Amino acid sequence: RKEVEQDPGPFNVPEGATVAFNCTYSNSASQSFFWYRQDCRKEPKLLMSVYSSGNEDGRFTAQLNRASQYISLLIRDSKLSDSATYLCVVNFNAGGTSYGKLTFGQGTILTVHP
Amino acid sequence: DTGVSQNPRHKITKRGQNVTFRCDPISEHNRLYWYRQTLGQGPEFLTYFQNEAQLEKSRLLSDRFSAERPKGSFSTLEIQRTEQGDSAMYLCASSARGTGGTYGYTFGSGTRLTVV
């Protein structure tokens, strides 16, 4: 079983749609959670951190359920510019220390069309 | 320069040749990471440096791979006797010590390796 699993999609949605991505992780010692965005042939870039209380950044809402080991990302009012691969990322706490090693999911491809 | 710089951006090499990539992290970041990303997959961790010390290596890093960070600043990743399966994007990232070690985590643009 992969440490971080995502539905690879692809998701094809019209502009203005609401789309949700899900992710599960296997290591209960996980400490920090993120969503990254990656454009074609570019490096990953941090979209937002994910907190247990849930957090929102404009049209983007992230949720974390530690009990279920589940992370989600909701994008409202999709724009053409949202087309990208969305990576679910976990920072595991290894042996009581966490130095920043990130474990990535496979990525979910989103295409927003006119 | 405020970002992570990687060189070269692209490298095409013949199978069996050696290649070396360079990463210049953000200057105040003491932590440096290498990842490898193949088509359709997320990046996979290869190795981690804190200053000049290499503190963890993934099992993905076979004996043909070696990484150094001699003065705790830039890092090099060398692949010896390249194989077609080494074709991938090699990403470098750096961060400063902070919550979860991820403070200011920044990726470079990557080096795309093609082995023919």
Side-chain angles (χ1 to χ4, degrees):
Chain A
R1 181 185 174 188
K2 290 184 178 180
E3 291 178 296
V4 180
E5 294 204 63
Q6 292 181 251
D7 177 352
F11 285 64
N12 293 292
V13 303
E15 277 186 288
T18 296
V19 60
F21 304 141
N22 303 318
C23 169
T24 57
Y25 60 95
S26 60
N27 190 331
S28 59
S30 302
Q31 182 175 58
S32 307
F33 308 88
F34 311 91
W35 283 100
Y36 272 70
R37 171 193 169 126
Q38 187 172 29
D39 293 301
C40 188
R41 304 180 78 84
K42 300 284 189 180
E43 73 274 22
K45 292 187 177 178
L46 178 66
L47 179 65
M48 59 196 305
S49 300
V50 189
Y51 305 113
S52 297
S53 55
N55 50 300
E56 186 175 310
D57 182 2
R59 298 180 293 107
F60 299 84
T61 301
Q63 294 278 355
L64 166 65
N65 184 322
R66 285 186 182 269
S68 302
Q69 296 180 197
Y70 171 89
I71 306 163
S72 66
L73 176 68
L74 184 76
I75 305 176
R76 292 182 300 278
D77 188 23
S78 299
K79 311 290 185 191
L80 296 177
S81 57
D82 293 334
S83 297
T85 297
Y86 291 83
L87 295 158
C88 178
V89 185
V90 177
N91 175 211
F92 294 116
N93 185 333
T97 63
S98 177
Y99 56 78
K101 170 185 171 182
L102 300 182
T103 301
F104 289 79
Q106 178 181 1
T108 300
I109 299 171
L110 171 66
T111 301
V112 181
H113 57 82
Chain B
D1 182 21
T2 57
V4 177
S5 176
Q6 290 190 248
N7 288 289
R9 291 294 303 276
H10 304 275
K11 179 70 177 180
I12 300 174
T13 191
K14 291 184 179 179
R15 190 176 52 185
Q17 297 295 305
N18 299 344
V19 293
T20 300
F21 310 140
R22 176 177 170 128
C23 172
D24 288 89
I26 293 173
S27 57
E28 59 266 30
H29 284 181
N30 62 338
R31 300 180 175 196
L32 186 146
Y33 317 82
W34 284 98
Y35 291 81
R36 181 175 70 186
Q37 185 175 23
T38 54
L39 196 62
Q41 300 298 317
E44 295 176 292
F45 171 81
L46 292 179
T47 191
Y48 155 66
F49 290 86
Q50 181 160 312
N51 300 312
E52 67 275 10
Q54 187 174 20
L55 298 185
E56 184 173 342
K57 292 195 298 184
S58 163
R59 58 177 172 77
L60 294 175
L61 217 63
S62 76
D63 291 345
R64 298 183 297 105
F65 288 70
S66 62
E68 294 183 341
R69 193 183 184 197
K71 297 182 180 179
S73 57
F74 73 91
S75 175
T76 58
L77 178 68
E78 180 183 17
I79 309 174
Q80 296 182 327
R81 305 180 303 283
T82 52
E83 302 172 355
Q84 286 188 321
D86 296 332
S87 296
M89 172 78 91
Y90 290 84
L91 291 160
C92 177
S94 69
S95 76
R97 184 181 181 88
T99 303
T102 55
Y103 180 73
Y105 213 105
T106 304
F107 280 90
S109 300
T111 293
R112 185 169 297 279
L113 173 66
T114 303
V115 182
V116 297

